[in-house]
Amino acid sequence: LLFQDLVIFIAQLQHKLLNIHALLDYIEFVHPLLRTPPLHPPSINRNWMGCFTKSMEVCEALYFAGVPIWLIHSEAYISPTMNVVHSVGLTYPDEIVRATYMENGVAKPFPSI
């Protein structure tokens, strides 16, 4: 196996395993709370990445299920009564992704199709 093939194989394996883990957590923890929402939100599971959404309905439902939420909105559309803990700007860490797949100074993440 070439190094590049090995990187692709491991990335695909990690992707599948993380999807299985996420589905099991969803079935065990999130789905029951979405079907019967509690009156008060449970504490947030800090092991989860959470959800990025533009939908207020999705945001509210997952908030009451204890899922970390990132609401993507322009500042003009956010209600003044909404509790915003931190406002952040989007960043694009291109150098981090490229550095992972460097071979002899050349970025080769995946073969061309």
Side-chain angles (χ1 to χ4, degrees), residues 11-93:
Q12 289 173 341
L13 176 63
Q14 288 174 332
H15 181 222
K16 293 293 181 198
L17 292 174
L18 287 171
N19 277 342
I20 292 169
H21 187 342
L23 180 61
L24 293 174
D25 273 359
Y26 176 82
I27 291 169
E28 184 178 353
F29 302 109
V30 179
H31 186 67
L33 292 171
L34 289 175
R35 292 188 64 189
T36 54
L39 295 176
H40 301 287
S43 61
I44 291 174
N45 186 333
R46 296 190 183 273
N47 294 325
W48 294 340
M49 182 180 123
C51 176
F52 293 83
T53 182
K54 292 183 178 183
S55 167
M56 292 295 289
E57 293 80 22
V58 170
C59 183
E60 185 175 343
L62 291 178
Y63 172 74
F64 278 99
V67 177
I69 297 293
W70 281 263
L71 182 62
I72 310 296
H73 266 306
S74 167
E75 217 174 305
Y77 297 109
I78 295 177
S79 167
T81 60
M82 182 178 288
N83 184 14
V84 177
V85 178
H86 297 285
S87 179
V88 296
L90 295 176
T91 59
Y92 302 95

Side-chain angles (χ1 to χ4, degrees), residues 90-112:
L90 295 176
T91 59
Y92 302 95
D94 290 335
E95 68 282 350
I96 295 171
V97 175
R98 288 188 190 129
T100 304
Y101 300 104
M102 295 294 265
E103 282 187 54
N104 301 324
V106 178
K108 296 181 181 179
F110 297 102
S112 299

